Amino acid sequence: MGDEKSSNSLPQQTPCLSYWQRTTRAFPHLFANQSTQVPPRVKYVVIGSGLSGALTTFELIEAGVKGEDVIILEAREAASGASSRNAGHVRPDAFRGFNAYSKVHGPEQALKIIANEKLVLEKVDEFVRKHNVQCDFNLTSTFDVCMTPEFAKYEAESFEAYKQAGGETSHIKYYEGEEAREKTRVHGAVAAYEWPAGSSHPAKLVQFLLQSVIERGVQLFTFCPGTAIRENESEPKLWDVHTPRGTITTEKIIHCTNAHAALLIPQLEAYVQPNRAQAHSLVPNSAFGAENVLQKTFSLRYSLYHFYSLIQRKGDGTLILGVSRSNPTLSPETLASRFSTDDSHYNQEIADDALNSFKKIFPDYASQETAHGEGLDHSWTGIIAMTPDSVPFVGAIESLPGQYICAGFNGHGMARIFTSAPGIAKLVLGHEWSTTGLPECFQFSRKRLSRLAEGGLPSIW
Ligand SMILES: Cc1cc2nc3c(=O)[nH]c(=O)nc-3n(C[C@H](O)[C@H](O)[C@H](O)COP(=O)(O)OP(=O)(O)OC[C@H]3O[C@@H](n4cnc5c(N)ncnc54)[C@H](O)[C@@H]3O)c2cc1C
């Protein structure tokens, strides 16, 4: 259904599995209610079981909504979208995006966007500790490593502009030259910034949330896509959500469908663009084993569009290596193929580039023997949702009373959803936007769509 390049499509029916999914196949609710008919009526329908859908549901229940009043529809297995396919970074942008966000949203909003990401890290840390979530969350710090003088200049300008605008910088450290190389173990580092960040097993985090709400009465229907939404004929204030296993009449719908949002909200077709992203797991050789395990996470940056993200997991030592989607060193065919919702396979050219770049950046790795069982272990893809103004759509859809959206995280969901989902839950329960504490530019509104339709907004990433 729909166009593979557009967000008016359903998720692909034969997705590949990520490292995170391969290591959580025993999750008992993976195929929850996979052949059960949906109930004819329920108060709240959450569409999508990724981090936004799972956390929104969790927050509704925490706020007093009865579990039996909520169902979650999921097109594939539980949490099968980007949330279980990402690079595992919970990494706030500390200042880099400031200039770019300012151009689109103004400096005040740009400061708020960055402050919100810092807050998300604190919220994830607090949540994981409070609920004792076994998701391998590792609160540490991250290096933003500038691999070229040009990018070091770009970062320095962003940092200065952010600071001048009153942005908080006390948590950011700066190194250059030899010091940067020593701190980061990156031989070619020109400069590096360091600030607090974390990593997580993202699938385990979402599965904890799903498990928790299911225990409290919520029903999850996997392999059960919402295929259409229509006004209920006899009670026009209610909505009918159509699925292959029946129709559900409901008061409130929360769209947490990420890169597939426009299938059920056609007005979003021009504003949510699916992009395929790729990540890789590597079993370290001795250069990254035991006492040589990386203690910090990394963004290794040649330019704004050419970078690699890297974490090393504490438990099994697996390295997770992500690649920027617009990497200009890739062939035009590979670059063009990223505009897709097809997460059934990975791209060999990207995998080769990731591994070769990793070896170049960390010659220690390349200098060691790689035994059978070490080295590149797995490659996978996932679909991220880009918006023209680089921030998510969160809020009520005015033209569809009773419907809400929390989607379009621009590849930064782990650094945005832990405030956006609690925000949408508040709005669903009738609270004002101001209670969400979110940057105003996140708010979904007809006005924002018209502004985007007028064009003229530079694409940031
Ligand atoms: C390779 C890769 C690396 C990434 N790395 C990072 C990172 O390191 N840090 C970071 O912050 N972010 C990263 N991201 C982005 C991050 O994963 C996303 O922003 C985040 O997971 C979005 O969560 P979500 O719940 O909105 O969407 P998803 O997790 O995609 O959930 C949406 C769900 O909705 C379901 N669905 C869609 N349409 C329907 C329908 N009609 N009916 C029923 N169900 C439907 C889908 O199957 C899916 O399960 C990465 C993404 C990828 C792909």
Side-chain angles (χ1 to χ4, degrees):
M1 189 182 291
D3 170 3
E4 200 187 69
K5 289 190 175 166
S6 155
S7 71
N8 72 9
S9 59
L10 274 178
Q12 230 272 350
Q13 280 311 289
T14 52
C16 64
L17 291 187
S18 68
Y19 164 84
W20 314 112
Q21 292 173 296
R22 292 170 95 204
T23 48
T24 51
R25 302 313 292 162
F27 177 55
H29 304 292
L30 205 55
F31 312 134
N33 291 308
Q34 65 169 324
S35 48
T36 320
Q37 287 294 112
V38 294
R41 200 162 179 141
V42 71
K43 207 164 169 190
Y44 304 90
V45 176
V46 175
I47 310 183
S49 69
L51 188 56
S52 6
L55 185 58
T56 299
T57 308
F58 185 92
E59 292 288 323
L60 288 173
I61 305 296
E62 287 283 294
V65 168
K66 283 201 240 119
E68 305 79 63
D69 287 342
V70 189
I71 70 164
I72 305 175
L73 295 180
E74 169 51 56
R76 308 190 298 198
E77 65 176 42
S80 72
S83 299
S84 293
R85 298 170 179 278
N86 60 44
H89 242 150
V90 186
R91 184 179 199 272
D93 177 353
F95 64 87
R96 184 181 346 98
F98 177 76
N99 271 341
Y101 289 131
S102 284
K103 278 189 203 135
V104 179
H105 299 286
E108 191 192 319
Q109 290 297 307
L111 286 176
K112 287 189 183 185
I113 294 169
I114 288 169
N116 177 62
E117 297 206 359
K118 183 164 180 280
L119 180 62
V120 165
L121 177 68
E122 289 160 16
K123 294 257 175 220
V124 174
D125 179 45
E126 187 185 297
F127 185 90
V128 166
R129 279 192 285 120
K130 178 173 172 195
H131 299 282
N132 191 22
V133 186
Q134 302 299 308
C135 66
D136 310 335
F137 182 64
N138 179 21
L139 183 64
T140 171
S141 61
T142 189
F143 288 122
D144 221 43
V145 186
C146 306
M147 303 296 297
T148 61
E150 295 75 28
F151 196 68
K153 183 168 174 281
Y154 178 90
E155 290 262 85
E157 284 167 7
S158 279
F159 183 82
E160 206 40 47
Y162 171 71
K163 202 169 142 190
Q164 289 301 322
E168 197 192 334
T169 57
S170 58
H171 58 302
I172 306 170
K173 294 180 192 145
Y174 175 67
Y175 315 104
E176 58 187 13
E178 201 42 46
E179 192 184 14
R181 291 188 276 280
E182 247 170 53
K183 291 269 180 200
T184 62
R185 283 171 60 179
V186 175
H187 294 226
V190 174
Y193 296 78
E194 183 180 1
W195 63 82
S199 65
S200 169
H201 189 307
K204 286 187 184 170
L205 176 59
V206 183
Q207 289 171 3
F208 168 85
L209 292 163
L210 292 174
Q211 170 92 35
S212 166
V213 297
I214 289 169
E215 277 167 8
R216 291 190 268 174
V218 171
Q219 282 188 285
L220 165 66
F221 290 84
T222 59
F223 300 95
C224 191
T227 50
I229 298 176
R230 301 198 183 96
E231 235 173 35
N232 181 277
E233 278 179 7
S234 44
E235 292 178 77
K237 281 197 171 156
L238 300 182
W239 296 103
D240 288 340
V241 182
H242 294 258
T243 82
R245 299 209 297 279
T247 299
I248 314 146
T249 301
T250 187
E251 287 172 32
K252 302 214 171 176
I253 300 171
I254 305 119
H255 296 263
C256 299
T257 44
N258 200 23
H260 304 276
L263 176 67
L264 300 174
I265 315 170
Q267 57 181 297
L268 283 184
E269 189 172 346
Y271 308 111
V272 177
Q273 188 195 46
N275 266 226
R276 181 168 52 208
Q278 187 164 315
H280 312 82
S281 53
L282 279 81
V283 177
N285 62 21
S286 59
F288 285 87
E291 72 275 15
N292 299 325
V293 162
L294 296 170
Q295 302 298 324
K296 314 280 167 94
T297 78
F298 289 80
S299 179
L300 301 144
R301 299 203 156 241
Y302 291 91
S303 71
L304 202 51
Y305 300 105
H306 181 194
F307 60 90
Y308 303 88
S309 95
L310 179 68
I311 65 165
Q312 186 164 17
R313 288 168 44 68
K314 261 189 164 171
D316 60 12
T318 298
L319 293 147
I320 306 286
L321 183 60
V323 183
S324 56
R325 290 158 296 112
S326 320
N327 178 349
T329 67
L330 298 171
S331 68
E333 296 72 36
T334 292
L335 286 172
S337 72
R338 75 185 187 277
F339 299 113
S340 172
T341 55
D342 183 357
D343 54 6
S344 64
H345 61 280
Y346 73 97
N347 176 297
Q348 189 62 48
E349 187 190 349
I350 298 178
D352 291 344
D353 171 71
L355 195 61
N356 291 335
S357 301
F358 180 68
K359 287 179 182 164
K360 207 161 93 191
I361 294 168
F362 294 104
D364 297 358
Y365 178 86
S367 70
Q368 296 295 315
E369 286 291 313
T370 296
H372 175 66
E374 293 176 339
L376 183 65
D377 168 55
H378 187 57
S379 308
W380 66 92
T381 50
I383 311 303
I384 65 176
M386 305 301 285
T387 62
D389 54 1
S390 301
V391 291
F393 289 120
V394 181
I397 305 172
E398 305 105 306
S399 57
L400 306 169
Q403 296 195 39
Y404 299 79
I405 181 163
C406 183
F409 286 98
N410 290 268
H412 258 233
M414 304 291 286
R416 287 176 164 171
I417 292 172
F418 255 76
T419 51
S420 296
I424 200 72
K426 284 202 172 104
L427 299 177
V428 170
L429 296 175
H431 300 284
E432 295 294 318
W433 173 267
S434 58
T435 64
T436 67
L438 291 167
E440 288 75 11
C441 60
F442 284 17
Q443 188 170 17
F444 179 89
S445 68
R446 208 174 295 159
K447 214 168 116 199
R448 178 169 161 200
L449 287 196
S450 324
R451 207 160 65 90
L452 295 177
E454 281 163 19
L457 291 180
S459 163
I460 293 179
W461 309 127

